[in-house]
Amino acid sequence: MTALAITRLSMREAVSRRLVLIGVVLSVAFLALFGFGFHALYSNVTSRGTDRVELALGATIITVLGLYIVRFLAALLAIFLASGAVATEVDSGVLHAVLARPLSRTSWLAQRWLAFVLVTVGYITLMTMAVLGIATGIAEYSPLDPVRALAVLALELVVLLSVGLLASTTWSGVTSGVVTFCLFGVAWLAGIIELVGDQLRNQTMQLIGIGTSLLIPSDALWRGASFYLQQPSALLVARQAAGGNPFAGSAPPPTSLIVWSVCYAVILLLLAAWRLRRRDL
């Protein structure tokens, strides 16, 4: 087969699925609702002569909430694509026909993983730029570093795709999706527990959050990415208030988290390839 043929076919398959079509329709509806709501709220606040710093803080909160939903939609897309990547192909018999050609199981898996990475990263890039564009047009929103934020968000999707792919080599598509989504939810809950632990200076709660971030680093990556998506003046106010935002982080992602997340994704992808090589088709 030609180089990256499976990647091209998998991307075409992902885009042609009804799930993606529905996701696009819902995303456009979300952007319209976000733009309308943001404009209505911001116009109402500015008409009252609110202070510039408070305006920046309010715009940051609304924008980060919008981006949080975008990140959630992208995570769901990654989970659904990866959870059926292997199990569905085996059950339908498609994988038997594909592997009859001169193509190793590892190459097939890696190319599907690459296709899903391109689709999900492309989705979150477009949606993030759209939300930031709306916020900039309405409130002259100026995030700290959107490029770094997108890089960290892409890493979060890579992590989720690797988790879902490994699950898909072990269980059915439905079970893989449920397991991966539960891990995603556990990571979110652990992030909240760590945030509360920071406020209460409770070491046990902080350790629970850190330990869970090692097991599934998706929420820790979002918090790191959200730091770069906020306006500098809003970050300064949040730090002075010493309050915690359950939907965003107040510090950049540490290098150790980025390194661990990259190693985590690679290790899980290698485990998925190993599982597929040993699987009786």
Side-chain angles (χ1 to χ4, degrees), residues 226-250:
S226 64
F227 169 80
Y228 296 120
L229 293 168
Q230 299 175 67
Q231 295 191 105
S233 57
L235 274 171
L236 185 61
V237 172
R239 283 174 176 173
Q240 289 174 344
N245 184 344
F247 297 103
S250 56

Side-chain angles (χ1 to χ4, degrees), residues 25 40 45 52-53 70 84 90 95 97 106 110 118 133 166 168 235 242:
V25 172
V45 173
R52 289 176 62 89
V53 176
V70 167
V90 173
L95 187 56
T106 300
L118 294 174
L166 175 60
S168 187
L235 274 171

Side-chain angles (χ1 to χ4, degrees), residues 185-262:
V186 167
W188 175 82
L189 181 60
I192 298 294
I193 292 174
E194 185 179 356
L195 178 67
V196 175
D198 289 340
Q199 299 300 313
L200 300 178
R201 300 183 186 280
N202 185 308
Q203 191 175 15
T204 302
M205 297 177 75
Q206 292 172 328
L207 289 176
I208 290 174
I210 294 171
T212 309
S213 296
L214 292 174
L215 178 65
I216 174 79
S218 58
D219 192 73
L221 288 170
W222 156 252
R223 293 183 182 282
S226 64
F227 169 80
Y228 296 120
L229 293 168
Q230 299 175 67
Q231 295 191 105
S233 57
L235 274 171
L236 185 61
V237 172
R239 283 174 176 173
Q240 289 174 344
N245 184 344
F247 297 103
S250 56
T255 305
S256 56
L257 173 65
I258 300 298
V259 172
W260 167 244
S261 299
V262 172

Side-chain angles (χ1 to χ4, degrees), residues 23 60 64 69 108 152 181 216 229 257:
T60 299
V64 168
I69 294 174
W108 177 83
V152 181
F181 185 75
I216 174 79
L229 293 168
L257 173 65

Side-chain angles (χ1 to χ4, degrees), residues 65 86 88 117 138 166 218:
L65 280 176
V86 176
T88 305
V117 167
I138 295 173
L166 175 60
S218 58

Side-chain angles (χ1 to χ4, degrees), residues 115-149:
F116 296 153
V117 167
L118 294 174
V119 170
T120 53
V121 171
Y123 173 80
I124 202 166
T125 300
L126 290 175
M127 287 293 290
T128 300
M129 291 173 63
V131 169
L132 291 178
I134 291 171
T136 302
I138 295 173
E140 298 181 353
Y141 193 80
S142 178
L144 193 63
D145 194 338
V147 176
R148 286 191 181 185

